[in-house]
Amino acid sequence: MQYLRDKQYYTDLYDLFTIKDCLDEVKSFRKMYQDSLADEKIKDVPQEEKLKGLNYFLNWHLFTTKGERYRSKAQRIAEMVEEDKKKQDFYDKASEPSNITCNTCGKRLFSETKILEDYIDTPMRVLFFFPCKTCKEKKGVYNTGEEFVSKPQLCPKCKHELNEKHTVKSKVITWIKTCPSCKFTEIEVDDFEKSHAEFERKQQEDKELLTKYREEYCLTDEKGKEYIETIEKMKYANEIFEQEKQKYSNTAYQKTVQLKKLSIAELEKLLSELLEKEKYIKLSFDKPEIGQFVIVPFTAQDADSSRKGSDSSINIQKIIKSVLEHTNWRLVNNSVIYRLGYASGQLKGYEEEEDLLEISGIKKEQKQQIDSEKERKYGYDNYVQLARMMGKHEGIENMRRRRLEKEPDGFFLEATESPYTCGICGELTPGNTTWWNLDGLRCKDCWRNIQEEVIPSLKHRYDNDDTYFQDWQIQSDFGVHPATRSKLKREGLLKGRELKRQDGTTYYTVYLIEENKEFLKKYPKKPGIKVEFINSGDGMKVKL
Ligand SMILES: [Zn+2]
Ligand SMILES: [Zn+2]
Ligand SMILES: [Zn+2]
């Protein structure tokens, strides 16, 4: 018997399963689609939409099935080969039991055929058949020396042992079982011609499936590796997203964001003013040493002659430390020296986020470990970059939401945060003049206008739930020429709320829908331009 086959046999077998898996998925989605057409609950969803939605999910399912089948392919095939090799070896090497004699006539017998017996619950065995040419009996003995004993077949009705006879007619064997006790009879027919034909038909069917679908459902090495990378990348992007988001739940991180990042000139001004109050005069900075950090040596003169030696140096250290606490500058440890009325020392400036985190109390090893190998491989991938940005955005939003507990109306952001676009007037404004609350980001002027109740607390202009419109929309959305607009305003049909700067100049006009019902009746909104999203498809073209 041949148990071990050539490599192609296993590849075909594996691919065939993959194809059948995929075809089953297509089948079940087809059924889902048919069912959805009759589903009362979603009867209002257009047929086209249902088809689109299900196609999307089907493609995603097929994408992962194909990919995951590829992922385990090499290993699974190796396992199958290994299993069959074990069988083959066992079968080939099983030694024939010696000195076997016929149970009837006692003659010495020699085996002609053997088969492998491999059941899950018993160790593998090889059964040798010993025919006796004299009495036409056949004796079975295992390689272990045990004799094969056929279990008697019992009558299903009375449990009496059945009599069995068989007749052979060309390739058809007919088995007739009769019960001598209750006359029960059973006839079984083994038609080898028919079962052979059936086997051939199945072989042919499998072959056709392979030819037709292999290319579509069984990934090549190139496509398979691409899949594995895509999944790995998506997982990594997810990790990065969570990690970025988590960063901002850390109080040290909040501190980092809130640190005042001072330039050297700003630092000099801040320090000299405060030190002079404490009678340390003529603060001067020496040439900085610029590396990972910026290190600046300084000297100051102690104008208070009552302070001497270490008293003076301890005192100036205390002052500098407390001044710098909320900035990105630190006094270098043990650098302060006092000599003959001069206090000197070194200041260290931090710039990079990593370093700033350290001065806010996060030690390097405490930071979440990122997989540097994956970072190198995927860190610059667009998908991962996007996840990083989104994680950061969500983390920052969460941090701001927490702050709302203490400042329920909202707050101005930090000067260091990037400039933001005002949600109402659209102007770009630095962080420290951007007011944040759950309604969005507003420049300081729009926020003042809200506080002074010139306008209600409006949402973002692209997300305004149709509560207001703006100057630019009057022409684009309602087809009213700017000249007509002024006329309509004078006549009072168009009512605008003018947003004014502190100096009284108008910088923006907001039109509340509520106050302009008459205008809107006369100038209804023109239908918008239809934006269609086209799915790139990734070459996945299965249609239901
Ligand atoms: Zn015999
Ligand atoms: Zn019976
Ligand atoms: Zn604004």
Side-chain angles (χ1 to χ4, degrees), residues 261 292-294 328-330 348-352 355-356 358-359:
K261 278 88 178 173
Q292 185 190 352
F293 307 103
V294 176
N328 59 326
W329 290 86
R330 290 291 177 269
K348 186 173 176 185
Y350 296 76
E351 207 168 10
E352 299 295 322
D355 304 325
L356 288 165
E358 238 182 299
I359 57 174

Side-chain angles (χ1 to χ4, degrees), residues 197-226:
E198 175 68 12
F199 175 78
E200 291 274 285
R201 193 188 58 74
K202 263 212 92 284
Q203 289 276 89
Q204 189 55 32
E205 204 180 277
D206 288 350
K207 221 169 127 186
E208 277 164 21
L209 281 178
L210 282 169
T211 326
K212 195 164 168 196
Y213 295 111
R214 176 141 42 196
E215 204 178 319
E216 191 171 350
Y217 294 140
C218 306
L219 301 185
T220 58
D221 278 343
E222 190 195 348
K223 287 274 167 206
K225 279 177 189 135
E226 221 175 273

Side-chain angles (χ1 to χ4, degrees), residues 162-427:
L162 292 172
N163 288 336
E164 200 176 70
K165 273 200 303 190
H166 69 268
T167 55
V168 183
K169 206 171 167 189
S170 80
K171 282 182 178 166
V172 182
I173 306 179
T174 309
W175 303 86
I176 304 163
K177 294 167 189 172
T178 49
C179 175
S181 165
C182 74
K183 304 295 170 220
F184 167 84
T185 313
E186 192 183 68
I187 299 171
E188 266 176 31
V189 180
D190 283 342
D191 186 335
F192 285 102
E193 192 130 28
K194 207 168 145 194
S195 46
H196 182 73
E198 175 68 12
F199 175 78
E200 291 274 285
R201 193 188 58 74
K202 263 212 92 284
Q203 289 276 89
Q204 189 55 32
E205 204 180 277
D206 288 350
K207 221 169 127 186
E208 277 164 21
L209 281 178
L210 282 169
T211 326
K212 195 164 168 196
Y213 295 111
R214 176 141 42 196
E215 204 178 319
E216 191 171 350
Y217 294 140
C218 306
L219 301 185
T220 58
D221 278 343
E222 190 195 348
K223 287 274 167 206
K225 279 177 189 135
E226 221 175 273
Y227 167 83
I228 290 170
E229 280 207 350
T230 305
I231 296 293
E232 202 175 74
K233 203 164 71 186
M234 280 160 73
K235 276 194 189 142
Y236 185 63
N238 218 16
E239 279 167 34
I240 290 291
F241 173 82
E242 284 303 324
Q243 191 182 308
E244 279 296 314
K245 201 172 90 180
Q246 282 310 316
K247 253 193 202 172
Y248 294 88
S249 67
N250 193 313
T251 46
Y253 217 92
Q254 295 182 33
K255 267 199 231 159
T256 308
V257 175
Q258 286 159 12
L259 285 177
K260 272 207 172 65
K261 278 88 178 173
L262 301 177
S263 69
I264 189 76
E266 289 167 325
L267 176 73
E268 188 169 11
K269 186 166 175 283
L270 178 76
L271 269 184
S272 64
E273 277 173 15
L274 276 153
L275 286 172
E276 262 168 47
K277 274 190 204 150
E278 301 288 336
K279 297 216 163 93
Y280 289 96
I281 57 168
K282 294 186 182 162
L283 173 72
S284 82
F285 285 169
D286 217 340
K287 198 168 165 269
E289 178 194 312
I290 299 195
Q292 185 190 352
F293 307 103
V294 176
I295 307 222
V296 189
F298 70 88
T299 53
Q301 295 174 26
D302 191 349
D304 183 343
S305 55
S306 69
R307 286 187 296 227
K308 285 279 180 305
S310 64
D311 273 357
S312 179
S313 73
I314 289 170
N315 194 42
I316 194 170
Q317 279 186 54
K318 226 191 275 168
I319 299 162
I320 295 176
K321 273 186 183 162
S322 80
V323 172
L324 298 181
E325 198 187 332
H326 299 292
T327 74
N328 59 326
W329 290 86
R330 290 291 177 269
L331 186 64
V332 175
N333 273 343
N334 305 321
S335 69
V336 178
I337 305 167
Y338 175 89
R339 289 184 73 178
L340 298 174
Y342 268 111
S344 67
Q346 287 179 329
L347 298 166
K348 186 173 176 185
Y350 296 76
E351 207 168 10
E352 299 295 322
E353 189 181 73
E354 294 275 293
D355 304 325
L356 288 165
L357 273 172
E358 238 182 299
I359 57 174
S360 301
I362 296 184
K363 295 230 166 58
K364 274 204 173 107
E365 60 270 26
Q366 268 178 294
K367 274 182 282 168
Q368 264 164 318
Q369 287 291 312
I370 54 162
D371 190 327
S372 57
E373 161 91 34
K374 279 191 196 156
E375 179 59 25
R376 193 175 44 74
K377 207 163 161 192
Y378 302 125
Y380 292 97
D381 180 84
N382 286 343
Y383 195 80
V384 175
Q385 297 272 53
L386 184 68
R388 203 188 305 274
M389 257 168 57
M390 280 163 61
K392 184 173 177 179
H393 177 79
E394 207 168 307
I396 290 175
E397 281 290 303
N398 287 342
M399 187 172 88
R400 288 171 184 165
R401 275 194 200 104
R402 283 194 298 276
R403 215 174 136 183
L404 271 186
E405 286 165 20
K406 284 183 191 151
E407 297 155 274
D409 290 339
F411 40 82
F412 282 118
L413 300 175
E414 304 300 328
T416 48
E417 291 185 66
S418 50
Y420 291 103
T421 310
C422 171
I424 296 171
C425 71
E427 226 163 85

Side-chain angles (χ1 to χ4, degrees), residues 54-110:
L54 281 171
N55 258 322
Y56 177 81
F57 282 114
L58 172 60
N59 279 321
W60 174 252
H61 266 257
L62 286 176
F63 173 69
T64 50
T65 303
K66 288 191 273 187
E68 291 307 316
R69 287 288 299 172
Y70 173 81
R71 195 199 291 277
S72 9
K73 186 171 178 171
Q75 199 197 338
R76 186 65 201 113
I77 288 179
E79 281 167 8
M80 289 196 284
V81 170
E82 189 51 35
E83 267 169 52
D84 283 355
K85 196 170 170 304
K86 239 193 235 162
K87 280 187 195 174
Q88 191 69 59
D89 278 358
F90 193 86
Y91 178 80
D92 290 345
K93 288 177 188 157
S95 50
E96 183 186 323
S98 52
N99 298 325
I100 301 298
T101 52
C102 174
N103 292 356
T104 316
C105 67
K107 264 196 186 151
R108 177 78 192 272
L109 303 176
F110 297 94

